[in-house]
Amino acid sequence: IDSRPGAGGQIALNLLKTAPADGSVLAMTPFSAISLYPHIFKNLQYKPFEDFLPVGTSSMIHHGLAVGPMVPATVKNVKDFVAWAKANPAQASYGSPAAGSTPHFIGALLGLNQNFEFKHVPYRGSVPGVADMIGGQLASMVTPHGDFIANHKAGKIRILATSGKARSPFVPEVPTFTEQGFPDLTVEEWFGFYAPAKTPTAVVNAANAAINAALKDKMVIDSLAVSGLTPLGGTPDDMARDMKRQYDHWGPIVKRIGFTAES
């Protein structure tokens, strides 16, 4: 494993683009680096649908909206929170792990669709934002819900909703956005493996088979659960179809929000 953080995964994908096309180097990234970034970054150094081949999805993550002690305990759900935000505009803010991330756009959509100013506070990762929320310096945060679970169970913060089509198995007591009347905020973000574009089909298929086999291993399943992830799996074609679906879905949303990396 060669971790190459930075630029939301762009550094790793730029390296993959020029890596040997023999299956010796794969990259794993959330779908946002492929399907969302082209709508945000005008000068991407890679072409998502031309430079890479999908190998297979590995796991799925749900995002969550959580609130801290700045928000009164009487706020029990998303509708309560929207009402509170409209009544307290100076405090109506949310953090995300990065500007241009999927959680950023979930929060922006909530504000747009419910007609209130929901101020975005971008962080470098989830940890500092969660700390500020617990400390009462930030009203709320949208981020992968695995980053909330320990503090939610400890009573330090309250997860008001999760973004999946169904409730998260890790916090089954928390209703989804859809259950609460906000279906536009349903987002299930997957992580996928990619290979350089000229990798032979036989090599891609062999890697896909190995990934799917690993996802049935209890040790792998338990390790994913620590971060609030569930195994996903599937074929390269499944992944390619959803890459395109996500690209088409997020384009109009990003345009409506009006965010670019240069804005």
Side-chain angles (χ1 to χ4, degrees):
I1 298 173
D2 182 5
S3 180
R4 296 292 185 123
Q10 292 181 55
I11 291 174
L13 288 173
N14 286 333
L15 289 171
L16 180 69
K17 184 174 67 171
T18 57
D22 58 6
S24 62
V25 180
L26 303 177
M28 186 177 73
T29 180
F31 72 54
S32 53
I34 297 293
S35 299
L36 189 53
Y37 287 0
H39 303 297
I40 299 171
F41 297 94
K42 294 179 180 178
N43 299 308
L44 273 182
Q45 295 179 36
Y46 58 84
K47 297 178 181 179
F49 295 92
E50 298 176 27
D51 291 336
F52 312 118
L53 289 175
V55 175
T57 50
S58 62
S59 55
M60 178 80 76
I61 198 162
H62 295 174
H63 299 292
L65 168 66
V67 296
M70 182 186 291
V71 179
T74 52
V75 173
K76 304 286 187 184
N77 53 48
V78 181
K79 288 182 180 178
D80 290 347
F81 178 72
V82 170
W84 174 85
K86 289 181 176 180
N88 298 272
Q91 296 173 294
S93 62
Y94 74 102
S96 83
S101 64
T102 308
H104 169 193
F105 293 127
I106 291 173
L109 271 180
L110 177 62
L112 276 175
N113 291 349
Q114 298 303 311
N115 299 309
F116 71 97
E117 184 181 356
F118 201 15
K119 292 182 287 292
H120 177 230
V121 183
Y123 285 85
R124 291 194 173 192
S126 299
V127 173
V130 172
D132 280 354
M133 184 170 59
I134 292 172
Q137 298 164 304
L138 180 71
S140 66
M141 188 156 186
V142 182
T143 203
H145 80 308
D147 297 327
F148 291 143
I149 292 172
N151 287 304
H152 169 77
K153 292 186 182 296
K156 295 180 180 179
I157 61 175
R158 310 186 308 279
I159 304 177
L160 299 184
T162 53
S163 69
K165 295 174 183 175
R167 293 193 184 197
S168 164
F170 306 108
V171 282
E173 73 279 9
V174 178
T176 65
F177 283 111
T178 296
E179 285 181 88
Q180 299 183 60
F182 302 87
D184 49 303
L185 303 180
T186 299
V187 178
E188 296 183 324
E189 186 158 14
W190 47 257
F191 290 81
F193 285 94
Y194 295 88
K198 294 183 180 180
T199 304
T201 300
V203 174
V204 170
N205 289 340
N208 175 266
I211 291 166
N212 283 317
L215 292 173
K216 296 176 182 176
D217 186 294
K218 186 177 184 302
M219 185 179 295
V220 173
I221 295 169
D222 290 346
S223 296
L224 290 171
V226 171
S227 299
L229 291 158
T230 54
L232 185 57
T235 69
D237 286 344
D238 292 335
M239 185 172 164
R241 279 191 295 270
D242 205 62
M243 285 167 53
K244 182 63 166 57
R245 186 182 71 82
Q246 297 292 349
Y247 177 86
D248 292 341
H249 171 75
W250 285 101
I253 292 173
V254 172
K255 186 174 181 180
R256 181 179 171 217
I257 291 169
F259 177 81
T260 67
E262 293 76 26
S263 60

